[in-house]
Amino acid sequence: MKIKKRSWAEPFKIKVVEPLKMTSKEDRIKSITLAGYNTFLLKSEDVYIDLLTDSGTSAMSDYQWAGMMLGDEAYAGSKNYYYLEDNVKKYYGFKYLVPTHQGRGAEHLVSKILIKPGDYIPGNMYFTTTRLHQELAGGTFVDVIIDEAHDPENEHPFKGNIDIKKLDKLVKEVGAKKIPYISVAATVNMAGGQPISMQNIREVKEYCDRQKIKMWCDATRAVENAYFIKIREKGYADKSIEEILLEMCTYFEGIWVSAKKDCLVNIGGFFATRNKKVFEEGRNLVVVYEGLHTYGGLAGRDMEAMARGIEEMVQLDHIKARIGQVEYIGNLLLKAKIPIVKPIGGHAIFLNAKKFLPHIPQIQFPAQTLAAEIYIDSGVRSMERGIVSAGRNKVTGDHNYPKLELVRLTFPRRVYTQAHMDVTYESICEVYDKRKSIKGLKMIYEPKYLRFFQARFERLK
Ligand SMILES: *Cc1c(COP(=O)(O)O)cnc(C)c1O
């Protein structure tokens, strides 16, 4: 037989397995009702394929696990810290490192150091914890992403790009002095894992230099962004992921990172900078909130695993398979005409719930509803990224009504196989077939901050 295509498969083999509990539909209806129709409140043991998040859910390699045994659990000056410092310098290019327990610990410190009350922080679409820390420090976040990012049908290859006209409008309105830095995310999680191009970063940098505005980067997913630059942007096809990541970082004064994503660990984060003054303040503040500056809330073994994860994250075979898996299921869904955000992003597939369930108005939480339905069908856990996640307006107290009403299926790194992808794909098709019979939800409990984590719902009759 003549073979038409050559498949690829995961560039690793499985050494340890974690058995999963198989549940019935009746079990799952019981579980989701108890969880108030919020997939965050499900017990993980009741979940079959867990696509809630790729945060801290990566499978570590044997090399990382071996490193865990080399943890130097000294309170001060652990050798794992120095190894991590070396690798942050080598792969991201920043001289100064402040480790934190996870990404939001770093966001907290950076926001506290750089933002004064009354400041404005422009950024390419908000991220939940990032924006909240900027607001808690007294700042106001302003979205300056290109319009294409808000259109789930638009196939712009770099939907994470910044609209310099929007940025300039803000600068003219409030003055550059009120803008401590521009908060550049690479990739943009909330836009669907969409990358920013090197060219755009370069142009924003030129603009910011003229206005004397600093640039900081949320580099949590910068390796995924680097891969998209390699395959989509002219001039980068022959560059290595390492080279692209290093070039990206040269444009920023500093970065903050949740190591629970690209860096392939279950816990950890850091901020890194070339500004010695910011570093010194951070090294001082971290002691108050996280732990001494050579561990920042982490065990020595965690820092070792992170340092080794950084070496693995830039390997082309790894990142190609990681994004390839997302593309694999994304292309199946596109072929089946299921409405998803295009183009397919780096870490997740986003179902367009407004199109999937057009008969459910936004105030009845279509994305929250859809996530619950998929769980009931197959035990696949996803999450809402829509009106629940967007929270309430600080001034009016009304819901924010985001343009995008999405269900996110996020893929842990190196955890699931293509067979798991097939099961997930088939379940989404099944729910799509019976979409007209699905009813919306009503919120019956609402916490004050980041409500999507703990809000509870009831099904409308
Ligand atoms: C996860 C994430 C964060 C927050 O990091 P945590 O480790 O969850 O505290 C910040 N920014 C982006 C883009 C993220 O994906």
Side-chain angles (χ1 to χ4, degrees), residues 194-348:
Q194 303 294 335
I196 177 169
S197 71
M198 196 75 89
Q199 189 189 339
N200 186 249
I201 296 176
R202 224 178 275 129
E203 287 166 7
V204 173
K205 169 78 170 152
E206 279 165 24
Y207 176 86
C208 286
D209 280 351
R210 268 185 273 131
Q211 301 287 346
K212 300 205 166 49
I213 297 171
K214 296 174 174 184
M215 290 184 43
W216 276 70
C217 181
D218 183 336
T220 297
R221 302 170 182 284
V223 178
E224 287 165 8
N225 202 109
Y227 180 73
F228 284 121
I229 287 176
K230 181 178 171 72
I231 60 172
R232 292 183 189 168
E233 191 163 349
K234 224 175 102 203
Y236 288 93
D238 297 328
K239 292 226 154 76
S240 69
I241 299 296
E242 268 181 75
E243 289 170 318
I244 298 171
L245 179 63
L246 267 177
E247 183 189 335
M248 281 169 68
C249 287
T250 58
Y251 300 109
F252 297 96
E253 178 180 280
I255 57 172
W256 63 86
V257 169
S258 166
K260 299 170 71 172
K261 322 288 171 60
D262 279 352
C263 303
L264 296 165
V265 287
N266 304 120
I267 193 72
F270 60 87
F271 87 79
T273 178
R274 56 185 100 260
N275 182 328
K276 191 162 181 210
K277 247 181 84 186
V278 172
F279 164 66
E280 276 174 356
E281 253 184 86
R283 186 166 64 168
N284 201 216
L285 268 186
V286 74
V287 184
V288 182
Y289 294 105
E290 304 277 321
L292 196 69
H293 63 277
T294 55
Y295 76 85
L298 296 167
R301 55 180 172 269
D302 297 330
M303 291 189 286
E304 184 68 23
M306 203 196 307
R308 291 180 178 217
I310 288 172
E311 293 165 16
E312 291 180 343
M313 73 181 183
V314 294
Q315 290 169 13
L316 186 59
D317 286 340
H318 157 68
I319 193 68
K320 211 165 143 179
R322 189 279 184 284
I323 291 178
Q325 183 173 60
V326 183
E327 272 174 351
Y328 171 77
I329 181 167
N331 284 328
L332 289 175
L333 291 165
L334 281 176
K335 228 180 261 167
K337 305 232 175 342
I338 308 279
I340 65 171
V341 173
K342 288 183 275 188
I344 298 160
H347 65 295

Side-chain angles (χ1 to χ4, degrees), residues 55 102-105 107 127 129-130 185 187 189 218 220-221 256 258-261 268:
S55 178
Q102 60 184 80
R104 67 199 69 183
E107 288 172 341
F127 183 74
T129 57
T130 315
T187 61
N189 190 340
D218 183 336
T220 297
R221 302 170 182 284
W256 63 86
S258 166
K260 299 170 71 172
K261 322 288 171 60

Side-chain angles (χ1 to χ4, degrees), residues 338 356 426-437:
I338 308 279
F356 201 114
E426 288 158 20
S427 171
I428 294 167
C429 290
E430 182 88 22
V431 174
Y432 193 63
D433 280 346
K434 56 161 224 186
R435 63 192 181 279
K436 293 202 174 98
S437 66

